[in-house]
Amino acid sequence: MDRYIEVPVKDNRILEELRAGDYVYITGTLYTARDAAHKRMYEALAAGEPLPIDMKNNMIYYMGPSPAREGRVIGSAGPTTASRMDKYAPAFLDLGLKGMIGKGKRSRAVIDGIVKNKAVYFAAVGGAGALLSKRITASRVVAYEDLGTEAIRELRVENFPVIVVIDTKGNNLYETAAKAYQKKG
Amino acid sequence: MREIQVSAVTEAIAELCIEANYELSSDMKAVFEQAKETEEGPLGRQILEQLEENLQIAKTDRIPICQDTGMAVVFVEIGQDVHLAGGSLEEAIHAGVRKGYTEGYLRKSVVKDPIYRENTKDNTPAVIHYSIVPGDKVTVTVAPKGFGSENMSRIFMLKPADGIEGVKDAVMTAVRDAGPNACPPMVVGVGIGGTFEKCAYLAKKALTLPADSHSEIPYVRELEAELLQKINGLGIGPGGLGGTKTALAVNILTYPTHIAGLPVAVNICCHVNRHATRIL
């Protein structure tokens, strides 16, 4: 089913209606963060320091872009493997993070955190960074600029295409989809 | 003895880094086209169509195919009748990577130390494999390697008694575990035999072979075909979202090994299997 949602999330019922396998177009604001930014935010949290972005009702896109050419918003901008962020994600979900966009499997702890906080894990198509960059209309670094491609960016996206992999109930598309096409032998 | 200036190597490497990251080689396009025609899942077909559109955008709008423009793996075959002049070859190769990744708007994904992880900011150093061959030419292949799939690669030190069935199990285990993480449809490079490091090298080298080529050794060719069929029967599909195209190709290289061993390396690559070659 095709769905259209806005981020930040204003009414969580919209997320709760999403089902694993739905095709979703996101419009609004996304924050990028990957390994190094996650580690730094996690350490800040542990030290009782404020985080550079507000997790509440927001979504994180696991992505580090290639450099933008002159006059362009961003370079290639596809998802990175989400499981590397599994160590940090449950803590951010507990702060109100409503969505994560990446690719690949998640740990049990992350799935539990998704269900507990009624959040969603989306996949963007891995290796389609040129195509996905076309749906990003603005980009600016908001924290950890020294991390280069791993800095935290605030992105403005329009109809950014993703697929629900793990929904608020914990249904997991990666587990169900492959079974339908499995062959013996 | 033919003399080649190392500055020519720098220029070639820089151009190959850019070429590989903006356009797939013709062999990859061929297997991709075939996958699109035979994928049975509707979502799988939709993903493959998006990936094809992505390739078109990358080429026409000059945006790298994938934001992970890789760590540069460079294979250099040096003819033994060549004299490389004008400086250090190794430095010339790194300079080529530096130039290509900077001028080509490619992502700098290399950190200086595996533990302290400070970005080198120019994607150097490259990983270089040299070999000395007959003749008076230098052949350079640049294979930028993304780490979504590299992280899912494996080495298995099997016992001789495990035989060919053990090899099949090893490959299937690696591919099954990789699943959606490795950006399927994947290309699977397999090295069988040699030593611990030799089989890993062969697996990497297998990824640089034309994806639509097959081994000249009959049993290896059959093994490639059987594994491809088995992998596509896993149901993982494009993007891991279900389908009948989990791999585009399986390429295998073998080497003699020790009476006590059967090393197997499985180097997994995503559908953006980049390799570009030039002969100097």
Side-chain angles (χ1 to χ4, degrees):
Chain A
M1 192 171 188
D2 283 9
R3 306 267 196 170
Y4 295 81
I5 66 167
E6 284 186 23
V7 179
V9 178
K10 291 195 186 72
D11 182 349
N12 211 60
R13 281 175 300 187
I14 293 164
L15 287 191
E16 289 166 44
E17 283 170 10
L18 298 179
R19 286 291 166 268
D22 283 352
Y23 217 95
V24 179
Y25 295 91
I26 298 175
T27 295
T29 302
L30 298 176
Y31 291 100
T32 70
R34 40 173 296 153
D35 310 54
H38 270 77
K39 182 169 189 280
R40 215 178 264 188
M41 285 195 288
Y42 191 77
E43 285 167 358
L45 198 61
E49 293 162 12
L51 295 183
I53 55 172
D54 186 10
M55 296 288 170
K56 199 167 171 55
N57 297 328
N58 274 310
M59 292 194 184
I60 290 180
Y61 182 21
Y62 300 143
M63 191 276 287
S66 66
R69 287 178 185 273
E70 285 75 14
R72 300 246 181 109
V73 169
I74 203 162
S76 196
T80 195
T81 309
S83 58
R84 295 196 315 273
M85 271 53 80
D86 282 357
K87 177 179 171 184
Y88 313 112
F92 298 157
L93 287 165
D94 286 344
L95 291 177
L97 180 69
K98 282 297 166 190
M100 299 157 287
I101 304 167
K103 63 167 168 100
K105 301 169 206 173
R106 305 309 303 261
S107 69
R108 188 70 249 169
V110 174
I111 297 171
D112 290 345
I114 287 172
V115 174
K116 178 179 153 200
N117 296 289
K118 294 189 168 64
V120 176
Y121 170 54
F122 302 94
V125 178
L131 179 122
L132 291 166
S133 75
K134 296 284 184 185
R135 306 297 177 91
I136 299 169
T137 57
S139 167
R140 69 184 181 99
V141 172
V142 293
Y144 308 155
E145 189 158 18
D146 60 298
L147 294 179
T149 185
E150 295 206 68
I152 296 180
R153 286 172 173 77
E154 185 185 84
L155 304 181
R156 170 81 197 167
V157 296
E158 278 175 26
N159 290 324
F160 190 83
V162 294
I163 293 147
V164 178
V165 173
I166 302 169
D167 63 26
T168 56
K169 310 268 187 227
N171 298 306
N172 189 340
L173 180 65
Y174 287 144
E175 285 175 6
T176 54
K179 286 198 181 101
Y181 294 95
Q182 257 161 27
K183 287 175 183 157
K184 292 274 171 211
Chain B
M1 185 166 254
R2 185 172 167 234
E3 190 169 287
I4 295 177
Q5 294 295 316
V6 294
S7 57
V9 175
T10 298
E11 288 306 313
I13 300 268
E15 288 170 23
L16 291 170
C17 288
I18 295 172
E19 182 186 320
N21 273 298
Y22 282 88
E23 194 171 355
L24 284 186
S25 47
S26 57
D27 58 304
M28 281 302 298
K29 285 181 194 160
V31 291
F32 205 90
E33 192 58 36
Q34 204 184 6
K36 218 182 64 175
E37 282 163 20
T38 53
E39 172 58 55
E40 291 168 27
L43 190 51
R45 268 201 305 278
Q46 195 178 343
I47 302 297
L48 290 174
E49 278 163 19
Q50 282 193 5
L51 293 177
E52 192 166 56
E53 190 187 345
N54 184 66
L55 291 175
Q56 196 54 47
I57 293 170
K59 188 180 166 187
T60 54
D61 289 2
R62 303 300 291 160
I63 304 170
I65 301 167
C66 178
Q67 75 290 337
D68 184 355
T69 52
M71 186 166 195
V73 179
V74 180
F75 293 88
V76 193
E77 289 180 5
I78 304 161
Q80 62 194 38
D81 297 328
V82 172
H83 173 226
L84 288 154
S88 151
L89 173 62
E90 186 130 342
E91 282 305 316
I93 292 168
H94 295 315
V97 169
R98 188 175 298 120
K99 187 171 194 285
Y101 275 74
T102 307
E103 293 177 5
Y105 294 89
L106 303 177
R107 196 178 79 180
K108 287 71 179 175
S109 310
V110 174
V111 293
K112 194 174 177 180
D113 181 278
I115 300 302
Y116 292 102
R117 310 196 73 81
E118 185 194 346
N119 198 300
T120 63
K121 296 189 168 69
D122 59 8
N123 221 51
T124 64
V127 172
I128 309 170
H129 302 289
Y130 298 102
S131 53
I132 308 291
V133 298
D136 65 353
K137 303 271 193 290
V138 171
T139 304
V140 284
T141 297
V142 175
K145 189 64 171 73
F147 259 58
S149 55
E150 191 74 353
N151 279 340
M152 306 315 290
S153 302
R154 303 273 294 272
I155 288 185
F156 301 82
M157 298 305 283
L158 301 181
K159 297 174 188 70
D162 294 325
I164 197 162
E165 291 306 316
V167 173
K168 290 178 199 170
D169 286 347
V171 175
M172 295 308 290
T173 298
V175 171
R176 201 179 288 116
D177 290 351
N181 292 29
C183 287
M186 318 167 195
V187 177
V188 183
V190 182
I192 309 173
T195 48
F196 182 77
E197 86 288 4
K198 180 72 176 180
C199 72
Y201 169 81
L202 291 173
K204 178 71 74 192
K205 184 96 180 161
L207 288 176
T208 69
L209 296 173
D212 52 356
S213 68
H214 307 285
S215 173
E216 286 175 6
I217 305 166
Y219 92 86
V220 177
R221 189 165 57 233
E222 281 167 32
L223 185 59
E224 288 174 342
E226 184 186 338
L227 283 169
L228 182 59
Q229 192 187 2
K230 276 200 158 99
I231 290 167
N232 285 333
L234 288 174
I236 295 165
L241 301 168
T244 56
K245 282 292 166 190
T246 299
L248 297 170
V250 177
N251 284 106
I252 302 175
L253 289 172
T254 61
Y255 196 79
T257 189
H258 189 276
I259 48 172
L262 175 49
V264 178
V266 186
N267 198 183
I268 293 179
C269 192
C270 59
H271 53 84
V272 191
N273 181 26
R274 294 159 285 203
H275 46 90
T277 298
R278 187 164 304 171
I279 300 169
L280 301 173

